Amino acid sequence: MVSDITSTPKGIPMTSTALSSDGFQLGAVHATDGELSFTITTADGHPVTRFGEAHGKQLHLIVVRSDGAYFRHRHPVLDPATGVWTIPWTWEAAGSYRVFTDFTPDGGPGVTLSRTVEVPGEYRPWDPLPHARSETDGYTVTLEGALGNGTILTARVTRNGQPVPALERYLGSYGHLVALRQGDLAYLHIHALEGEPADGIRFHAEAPTAGRYLLYLDFQVDGVAHTAGFVLDAESEKR
Ligand SMILES: [Cu+2]
C-alpha cells in the first residue's frame, strides 16, 4: 500500500514531492547510455538492499515530464548486493522530468520519493486541455465520474466500439491509476475497487485540492501493458 500520504487535519491525503521522507532518500538518478539507475538510501546515506512488496512489485518507477507528457510506469531490477536499481532506458524528448520511486521498506509502510532529471535538447511544451477520453494502441478508454474528495471514477476500455473482455489483472487489479496534480506533480496513487472489469474498473479518488490533474491508467490485454492518459479538473468540496 502507498502510505506516504499523511493526512491533513481535515483528513484529506497530501502527497510529498520530496527526495527524502520517512528516513529514506532517493539518490542521484543516472540515465545515460541506455540505462536508468538509482539507489534508495537511508537518511545517513547507506544503500537500502531489502524491500517489501506492494502491488506485486518491490518498487514502482514513475517517470513523467514536468508538463505531464511522456509518462512511463516501469519496474526496475534491484541488485541486492549493492542496492542499485537499474532498467533499460532512452529518453524520448527533452525537458525536465520528475522521477518517482514508490516502494515499501522491509516491514514498513510505503514511501514515495521523487527527484527531477534534466534532459537536454530542444523543448516543445505540452499544455493539455481537460479530456476524459483517450485513444491508445487501438483502445479507447473513458473515465467517467468526477474527480474530487472521495469520489468514484470508472474506467471503461473498448476496442472498435466493443468492451474488451480480456482485460487482465495487472499489478493486483484490473487497472492501475496514477494522478498527478498539474503544477507540482503531487502524486496520488488511486486504488481500484474490487469488481469485474465488464462493469468498468472503479477507482476511489481522493484529490487533495481543487485544480487540474493529469491521470494515467495502466491496463493489460494479452500480456501487454498499455497506458491511457487523461486530464481532469477536480471539483472543490461541496458544502
Ligand atoms: Cu508499478
Side-chain angles (χ1 to χ4, degrees):
M1 304 298 283
V2 177
S3 52
D4 62 306
I5 296 167
T6 52
S7 291
T8 64
K10 289 183 72 186
I12 302 170
M14 298 295 291
T15 56
S16 165
T17 54
L19 67 81
S20 71
S21 175
D22 301 313
F24 295 95
Q25 190 169 179
L26 171 57
V29 175
H30 304 284
T32 51
D33 302 325
E35 185 177 84
L36 184 147
S37 66
F38 59 88
T39 304
I40 306 291
T41 71
T42 56
D44 58 5
H46 292 99
V48 178
T49 56
R50 292 177 56 192
F51 292 82
E53 273 195 10
H55 304 286
K57 299 287 177 184
Q58 289 184 309
L59 184 143
H60 301 265
L61 174 74
I62 306 286
V63 179
V64 64
R65 206 168 66 172
S66 62
D67 57 5
Y70 303 104
F71 175 94
R72 282 189 250 181
H73 176 175
R74 297 287 186 270
H75 301 110
V77 175
L78 172 67
D79 178 347
T82 61
V84 177
W85 293 87
T86 55
I87 187 167
W89 201 265
T90 44
W91 297 103
E92 292 175 76
S96 179
Y97 285 77
R98 182 73 67 82
V99 174
F100 295 94
T101 56
D102 181 345
F103 61 94
T104 307
D106 200 22
V111 177
T112 303
L113 304 177
S114 75
R115 257 184 189 274
T116 54
V117 173
E118 304 302 328
V119 178
E122 190 187 336
Y123 175 64
R124 297 211 182 97
W126 182 69
D127 188 13
L129 294 171
H131 60 278
R133 178 191 170 95
S134 179
E135 308 280 342
T136 180
D137 306 331
Y139 298 94
T140 300
V141 189
T142 57
L143 262 190
E144 296 165 13
L147 177 62
N149 180 25
T151 57
I152 301 291
L153 288 170
T154 304
R156 293 182 202 280
V157 182
T158 60
R159 181 161 206 159
N160 301 321
Q162 301 297 316
V164 175
L167 217 53
E168 293 162 359
R169 288 187 83 83
Y170 176 59
L171 304 175
S173 64
Y174 289 105
H176 205 259
L177 189 63
V178 165
L180 304 173
R181 182 166 58 186
Q182 193 183 53
D184 68 352
L185 301 184
Y187 179 92
L188 302 176
H189 194 143
I190 301 182
H191 294 283
L193 301 170
E194 280 305 317
E196 289 306 310
D199 306 323
I201 315 159
R202 300 193 315 134
F203 295 91
H204 182 249
E206 297 265 6
T209 61
R212 187 157 290 177
Y213 289 80
L214 310 154
L215 296 97
Y216 307 87
L217 175 74
D218 292 316
F219 61 97
Q220 183 168 301
V221 182
D222 295 332
V224 180
H226 306 277
T227 301
F230 309 90
V231 178
L232 295 182
D233 288 331
E235 299 177 341
S236 48
E237 209 170 334
K238 300 217 168 46
R239 294 179 191 278

